[in-house]
Amino acid sequence: MTAQIAIVGAGPSGCYLAQALLKAQPDLQVDVIDKLPVPYGLVRYGVAPDHQGTKGVIRQFARLFERQGARFIGNLAVNEQISLDDLRAAYDAVVLAAGLPGDRSLGIPGEDLAGVHASGQLTQAINEHPEAADLPRLGKHPVIMGNGNVAIDLLRLLAKTPEELEGSDAGPGVSAWLAASGIESLQIIGRSQAGQAKFDPVMVKELGKLAGVTIRVEGAGDSDDPEAAKKLAALAVIDGHGTGRRLVTFRFGLTPVALEGRDRVETAVFRTADGGEERISCTAFLTAIGFRAEGALERDALVAGAEDAEGGKLDDGLYATGWFRRGPRGTIPENRADAQALAKTILAEIPAEGSGKPGRAILEGLPDLVSYEGWQRIDAAETAAAPEGRCRVKISTRARMLALSKASEELR
């Protein structure tokens, strides 16, 4: 008998943790549970379709299931189909690695107007998440609020020509939506000054490869701070780039205070750095201002009552990692350090031989669970259907995924 560990969330933080646990103790039974029928979470549904290099980490995570012995159990929503308490009773340790799927709100008047879209929801639609809303109409002059990497992702995708999506996993519907957007201008606006922006300079420099845009950077300023100087240098590289028909403008030091319009958003009202007001006309307002907890796992209450929130221990036998532990900060690779530290904590606290708990046996009889083999069938169908110029076509409905996976047979 060996210890049994359930990790809730098959995204990067969950996969990195499973890797660390099994590397340290290969005979562990590690089950990676996800509410979706497919693994890899943020890599599949958050990373932009044209960043296939970043998505390449999936090949590393696949080895976790194919060689290291981790078990994938998909289409299982904890606290909906099985309670967290029941899961804790069945496993020696349970780790919550479900990320932060909700979008932060601006908290200003007009935020509920049509034409206002949060980045998380829009990114899910672009990545063909099975629970995503339809792709929205953005009009000729969208404004993007925020200047982190998510905002830069949206800007880059919306500014690309159809030819620049070559090699991506953007599906036919998404490709057609981008090609027909009719966007003439994109403004990307940050509350902070340019030197304090949250984007990665590499992401900004990548914009200098776009073919169909003209880029302007307004009011970036200067700074003696080394980190700020890197961001300002990246902006300087792209300022003046291109002569394309789409005008991309970076602006800083504007705080949104209201959105106005009759049937949909027409004007964004900002407070300027000197206390004045500026009004910017727009046909859509996209917010990329961070993420928050959402769903049935009650993350905020668990973290607030944690025994050691910083160390990832929520309670006896219950842990958290990744964004679920530390909030919406850090990149995908940064979850590896989280995982390695937490793996040491868990292995020091659980009985190496296990406690004789039932583990995955409590899941028997639950309908439509998806195994790793089921995911492989979905994966094979997606890659086989890829048209010329694309690396896959995602299956966008849960029903179709389940039909392909034949999950219940695989888990017996």
Side-chain angles (χ1 to χ4, degrees):
M1 194 66 186
T2 185
Q4 302 185 85
I5 298 173
I7 299 172
V8 181
S13 60
C15 287
Y16 276 130
L17 178 63
Q19 278 185 331
L21 288 166
L22 288 166
K23 183 177 180 181
Q25 192 171 320
D27 64 336
L28 282 173
Q29 289 190 15
V30 177
D31 293 341
V32 184
I33 296 168
D34 204 285
K35 67 178 182 178
L36 291 175
V38 294
Y40 310 134
L42 181 70
V43 181
R44 179 176 166 94
Y45 290 118
V47 174
D50 61 336
H51 270 186
Q52 290 299 310
T54 303
K55 290 176 185 271
V57 73
I58 284 177
R59 291 189 289 275
Q60 177 188 150
F61 293 153
R63 292 195 289 274
L64 167 68
F65 301 105
E66 295 170 5
R67 301 181 189 176
Q68 287 188 273
R71 178 77 68 99
F72 173 67
I73 302 172
N75 202 42
L76 174 57
V78 176
N79 270 351
E80 293 178 15
Q81 293 157 273
I82 184 171
S83 74
L84 179 58
D85 287 342
D86 286 346
L87 207 63
R88 293 179 64 185
Y91 285 85
D92 296 301
V94 174
V95 186
L96 303 179
L100 297 176
D103 287 289
R104 286 182 59 195
S105 61
L106 287 164
I108 62 175
E111 192 170 10
D112 296 331
L113 281 168
V116 180
H117 306 284
S119 62
Q121 295 176 0
L122 183 54
T123 299
Q124 285 192 349
I126 290 172
N127 277 297
E128 299 171 281
H129 189 288
E131 297 168 1
D134 293 339
L135 289 162
R137 175 171 59 90
L138 301 182
K140 295 181 179 179
H141 306 291
V143 165
I144 300 173
M145 185 67 227
N147 51 23
N149 287 342
V150 174
I152 300 295
D153 267 343
L154 283 178
L155 173 67
R156 187 186 65 256
L157 281 172
L158 295 176
K160 278 196 167 183
T161 64
E163 293 75 21
E164 288 173 311
L165 292 171
E166 180 84 11
S168 74
D169 62 6
V174 175
S175 300
W177 176 75
L178 288 169
S181 71
I183 291 173
E184 296 177 0
S185 75
L186 283 158
Q187 295 197 56
I188 179 166
I189 296 173
R191 288 187 176 93
S192 63
Q193 298 302 314
Q196 286 72 52
K198 295 181 179 178
F199 57 70
D200 184 332
V202 173
M203 293 276 288
V204 169
K205 289 179 182 176
E206 185 182 346
L207 300 176
K209 299 177 183 176
L210 294 175
V213 300
T214 299
I215 300 179
R216 293 177 183 166
V217 179
E218 296 184 0
D222 52 28
S223 175
D224 294 329
D225 178 78
E227 290 303 312
K230 292 178 186 176
K231 295 170 182 176
L232 296 175
L235 290 167
V237 167
I238 62 167
D239 187 18
H241 165 78
T243 57
R245 65 180 182 83
R246 281 181 176 155
L247 175 61
V248 173
T249 306
F250 279 78
R251 303 191 63 189
F252 302 94
L254 295 176
T255 301
V257 295
L259 300 172
E260 298 176 350
R262 287 168 293 181
D263 299 327
R264 60 181 287 124
V265 64
E266 296 170 350
T267 304
V269 184
F270 295 89
R271 184 177 63 250
T272 61
D274 61 4
E277 179 185 284
E278 180 162 349
R279 303 173 67 85
I280 296 177
S281 297
C282 59
T283 55
F285 193 85
L286 314 181
T287 63
I289 55 172
F291 300 92
R292 61 179 175 80
E294 189 175 81
L297 288 175
E298 299 179 342
R299 181 258 181 190
D300 291 346
L302 287 169
V303 172
E307 182 176 324
D308 176 13
E310 184 60 29
K313 184 172 182 179
L314 301 176
D315 199 355
D316 287 342
L318 182 64
Y319 305 86
T321 189
W323 278 18
F324 199 96
R325 177 187 72 80
R326 66 180 189 273
R329 302 182 303 278
T331 61
I332 288 174
E334 288 176 60
N335 288 302
R336 183 185 300 163
D338 246 26
Q340 292 170 344
L342 185 60
K344 290 180 181 178
T345 299
I346 293 171
L347 293 174
E349 295 186 351
I350 62 173
E353 295 79 21
S355 58
K357 291 185 174 183
R360 65 178 68 117
I362 67 159
L363 307 179
E364 291 180 1
L366 291 176
D368 295 329
L369 300 184
V370 178
S371 67
Y372 186 74
E373 290 73 21
W375 150 245
Q376 287 181 307
R377 283 191 284 276
I378 296 169
D379 183 40
E382 290 185 342
T383 53
E388 185 177 354
R390 297 291 184 271
C391 60
R392 75 169 59 231
V393 174
K394 288 179 185 166
I395 293 166
S396 59
T397 69
R398 188 182 294 262
R400 177 64 178 146
M401 291 177 185
L402 295 181
L404 279 165
S405 72
K406 298 178 181 175
S408 58
E409 294 179 6
E410 295 298 317
L411 286 176
R412 286 174 184 158

